[in-house]
Amino acid sequence: KSGAHRAHYIYENMIKMSKISYWLLNKHSLMIRTLSSSKSLPPGDSLSEKLFLTPRIHNLLYDIIDKTPINVHKSKFRKPGVAKIELMTDEQLEKALEKSELKTIQRLQLPPIVTARKEVSKPVIEKDAGLDGLFARDQKFVFADISQSQSNKTRNIVVREADGTLRHADNAERDRINQTYFPIPLRTLVLPALFRQEEIRRQVQSGDLEYFFDRACIQFEPDDAKYHEVLRTAYDLILSSKDTALRALESLECTRHFPGLILYMLLNKSLNCALLYFLKHEKFLQLLMLLQLQGFVDAGSIKDQQKKLFEAFPFEKILTQKKPLDTDQKIKVLSLCWEFSGEDKDIQKIIKHY
């Protein structure tokens, strides 16, 4: 009985937290989401972080995900079993729906986009010539404060080199020592082969990208320069061709990694693939969100004609109601798509078909 009571208590508190989280999302709060050699703009530069932390843009990035429960929670690596059917009262059904909503919110927590960590500006603490030659040149001593009161970010870690130099550990050494004494499950000390250039290319070509991005979130900290490099490589390969981009959008649309790809497309002027994808699937609400995001990001470079169309369209009213668009509204959305797509023949062909 005590075990059942404890499980019920935990479940009730999870439901309360899901309601609080949902309220925070609707209030445009970022609280629950922030807890967790190319010329293209990096996915973790200061502009990306600024846009990601802007409540209005952040909320649109979250809302653009396809949150259909059957798609969000579908089995990725196992064959679905026999469907389980239960008879429920209205109260039981309400609790089951709340539990499903909680799982959806937890599953779709956005990986934070932050600026890459910088190395210590003045790493050398002292140099003791008396220690030079005391141990082999290919060895070094690492001293780390492993007390539980320190976090991985604030932990003091220093390195004594063979020539007597005492310095602060660099970022790679800090990550290695932290993982050694405070291991994170599934994170490895040696970089997995999955994140090598040729393997990233293979993953992108296969189109099954959710595991790749999930594994990257486990292996790296959000502010790790290597994490940004891996993301940039993957995104650039995705955007290398229209077919590859469309496959990636389809693969990630119901996952927490979809907003990161959309933001990268926005910042690197490669939004036509996303416009084409939503047009093909007749997802006008997502199209509307995408166009509004482009309006926020490119506010300074919007042409006069595009600006007039933006000002005449009731974005907020439609997105707040979250109802299907009527025919007139769809025509206006298609007009905006035509203006922003430039000379993309595939997009113009679909719009003419409408």
Side-chain angles (χ1 to χ4, degrees), residues 238-284:
I238 286 170
L239 298 179
S240 62
S241 74
K242 190 172 287 186
D243 290 338
T244 308
L246 291 175
R247 282 201 308 271
L249 289 166
E250 184 176 8
S251 173
L252 297 174
E253 187 185 7
C254 302
T255 73
R256 64 196 183 115
H257 307 294
F258 192 63
L261 177 58
I262 292 294
L263 184 59
Y264 191 81
M265 287 179 166
L266 280 165
L267 293 174
N268 289 282
K269 315 295 183 185
S270 305
L271 202 62
N272 281 2
C273 290
L275 289 173
L276 180 61
Y277 177 79
F278 288 131
L279 279 170
K280 278 186 172 182
H281 294 82
E282 299 184 0
K283 298 189 175 184
F284 286 93

Side-chain angles (χ1 to χ4, degrees), residues 72-328:
V72 174
H73 299 289
K74 67 180 178 182
S75 177
K76 304 295 191 305
F77 309 109
R78 294 181 299 180
K79 291 183 179 180
V82 179
K84 185 179 179 181
I85 300 174
E86 291 184 17
L87 294 175
M88 295 183 175
T89 63
D90 290 343
E91 184 181 352
Q92 289 173 326
L93 178 60
E94 185 180 349
K95 283 190 174 183
L97 291 173
E98 287 178 342
K99 187 176 180 181
S100 174
E101 183 183 347
L102 169 65
K103 287 183 177 180
T104 302
I105 291 173
Q106 290 175 332
R107 193 178 183 90
L108 296 179
Q109 293 291 297
L110 305 190
I113 298 175
V114 296
T115 308
R117 262 179 298 166
K118 295 181 180 179
E119 297 288 352
V120 179
S121 57
K122 296 181 179 179
V124 177
I125 301 171
E126 67 165 11
K127 188 168 183 179
D128 189 344
L131 297 176
D132 189 8
L134 188 62
F135 48 93
R137 290 290 176 182
D138 60 347
Q139 295 178 351
K140 60 183 76 172
F141 285 95
V142 179
F143 304 88
D145 178 3
I146 60 172
S147 58
Q148 296 289 343
S149 60
Q150 297 295 322
S151 69
N152 286 353
K153 299 290 184 186
T154 61
R155 196 178 312 284
N156 195 20
I157 303 175
V158 296
V159 178
R160 177 72 76 175
E161 299 281 0
D163 63 356
T165 301
L166 182 68
R167 60 173 177 82
H168 293 286
D170 61 33
N171 290 336
E173 290 166 336
R174 289 189 64 86
D175 290 341
R176 188 176 183 86
I177 296 300
N178 282 325
Q179 179 63 15
T180 300
Y181 288 100
F182 304 93
I184 294 174
L186 302 181
R187 183 175 292 183
T188 60
L189 290 173
V190 179
L191 184 70
L194 181 66
F195 302 118
R196 294 174 184 166
Q197 178 79 26
E198 60 275 9
E199 187 61 25
I200 296 175
R201 186 181 299 276
R202 195 185 72 80
Q203 290 290 325
V204 170
Q205 290 173 349
S206 71
D208 188 14
L209 293 167
E210 184 179 7
Y211 172 77
F212 172 80
F213 285 112
D214 278 341
R215 188 69 182 82
C217 289
I218 293 172
Q219 181 64 33
F220 306 105
E221 291 296 319
D223 59 356
D224 191 334
K226 185 64 179 177
Y227 175 63
H228 293 173
E229 180 187 335
V230 166
L231 287 190
R232 184 168 62 251
T233 301
Y235 288 154
D236 287 341
L237 288 170
I238 286 170
L239 298 179
S240 62
S241 74
K242 190 172 287 186
D243 290 338
T244 308
L246 291 175
R247 282 201 308 271
L249 289 166
E250 184 176 8
S251 173
L252 297 174
E253 187 185 7
C254 302
T255 73
R256 64 196 183 115
H257 307 294
F258 192 63
L261 177 58
I262 292 294
L263 184 59
Y264 191 81
M265 287 179 166
L266 280 165
L267 293 174
N268 289 282
K269 315 295 183 185
S270 305
L271 202 62
N272 281 2
C273 290
L275 289 173
L276 180 61
Y277 177 79
F278 288 131
L279 279 170
K280 278 186 172 182
H281 294 82
E282 299 184 0
K283 298 189 175 184
F284 286 93
L285 271 178
Q286 281 91 336
L287 260 177
L288 203 58
M289 295 176 196
L290 195 64
L291 290 167
Q292 193 174 25
L293 279 168
Q294 182 157 12
F296 290 147
V297 174
D298 295 335
S301 58
I302 294 179
K303 298 176 183 178
D304 292 339
Q305 178 64 20
Q306 296 171 340
K307 190 173 182 180
K308 289 178 181 178
L309 287 170
F310 256 93
E311 291 173 351
F313 198 87
F315 283 99
E316 297 299 332
K317 182 179 178 182
I318 295 174
L319 292 175
T320 302
Q321 292 176 350
K322 295 187 178 179
K323 293 180 180 179
L325 278 66
D326 59 36
T327 305
D328 291 339

Side-chain angles (χ1 to χ4, degrees), residues 63-78:
D63 289 340
I64 207 169
I65 303 172
D66 180 0
K67 300 181 189 65
T68 308
I70 195 170
N71 294 330
V72 174
H73 299 289
K74 67 180 178 182
S75 177
K76 304 295 191 305
F77 309 109
R78 294 181 299 180

